[in-house]
Amino acid sequence: RRPGQPTGHARRATAAPLLRGRHRAGLRTVPDSTREKGTDMMKLAMVGLGRMGANMAERLRRAGHDVVGYDREPDRADVASLTEAVGALDEEPRRVVWVMVPAGAPTDSTIAELAGLLEDGDLVVDGGNSNFHDAARHAELLGRRGVAFVDAGVSGGVWGLEEGYCIMAGGADADMEHLRPIFDALVTEDGFAHVGPVGTCLLYTSD
């Protein structure tokens, strides 16, 4: 699907007004004039390097971010295990792992493994369009370790690498602010919306 063409409930819930910019969505932005060059560059792990995950990782790299990619297919991955992917982020003040594996059992097992690897203050983003009940369960599991959780409905398909993605995200305001440079690099113009707490975005993007 091309960016800006959500399906299912996203279309029925008139998603277009939600994608009119991060100011409407409640995500604070920092004026460019107040930023020091390079201060918004981040290092993160991308788990799941299928067509969508690989293209998102490449788009982030083109924007200047440092992405450590992990996939069960060794020829796609930068590291050999999820443990190594997390370990590559140890110098970061807050480790961020973006999960782009299929919803259901693959996401469940990935989140469970991350819960044993991450620590208080770290952050996981699930971009696999999991059911909102699963999102709440993942948030609770990670929360026991003090790990924050954001769920993000991502559309854009194979066109996203060049044209950008549309993202609806659910989670805490502080976590959205921390992820702002990542969202800014990924989305098409006015293609981001913070629609509420964890699970909210999937009320719009899930059938």
Side-chain angles (χ1 to χ4, degrees):
R1 300 187 301 278
R2 289 186 179 275
Q5 294 181 335
T7 60
H9 286 309
R11 185 181 297 119
R12 291 192 292 275
T14 62
L18 291 171
L19 300 175
R20 287 180 181 162
R22 53 187 68 87
H23 293 290
R24 178 183 178 88
L27 181 64
R28 298 186 302 278
T29 58
V30 180
D32 289 339
S33 60
T34 68
R35 301 177 191 160
E36 295 181 16
K37 185 176 181 181
T39 58
D40 281 349
M41 294 301 101
M42 295 176 63
K43 184 175 184 178
L44 73 155
M46 180 71 71
V47 179
L49 300 174
R51 284 188 298 177
M52 193 80 145
N55 281 349
M56 290 171 65
E58 176 60 20
R59 186 172 174 88
L60 288 169
R61 289 180 178 125
R62 291 181 184 181
H65 299 287
D66 188 355
V67 182
V68 180
Y70 170 67
D71 193 275
R72 291 186 301 173
E73 296 292 333
D75 59 331
R76 299 176 180 174
D78 299 317
V79 292
S81 68
L82 193 56
T83 299
E84 288 186 38
V86 171
L89 307 177
D90 282 348
E91 298 301 316
E92 296 301 297
R94 190 178 192 192
R95 294 178 293 187
V96 174
V97 180
W98 191 304
V99 179
M100 285 298 294
V101 302
T107 295
D108 288 345
S109 63
T110 301
I111 296 295
E113 187 173 354
L114 286 171
L117 296 172
L118 297 172
E119 299 174 347
D120 185 40
D122 294 333
L123 174 58
V124 173
V125 183
D126 175 17
N129 291 332
S130 298
N131 179 279
F132 65 92
H133 294 296
D134 291 341
R137 184 164 48 81
H138 296 154
E140 194 275 333
L141 174 63
L142 292 167
R144 296 177 203 162
R145 299 271 296 179
V147 178
F149 180 78
V150 167
D151 57 319
V154 184
S155 64
V158 296
W159 302 277
L161 173 59
E162 302 297 338
E163 299 181 17
Y165 299 90
C166 286
I167 297 176
M168 292 184 182
D173 288 348
D175 297 328
M176 297 297 166
E177 178 64 16
H178 185 77
L179 293 166
R180 176 186 53 79
I182 300 300
F183 290 136
D184 284 351
L186 286 172
V187 298
T188 187
E189 185 177 0
D190 294 334
F192 177 81
H194 177 200
V195 294
V198 169
T200 310
C201 77
L202 298 163
L203 296 174
Y204 292 100
T205 61
S206 300
D207 283 322

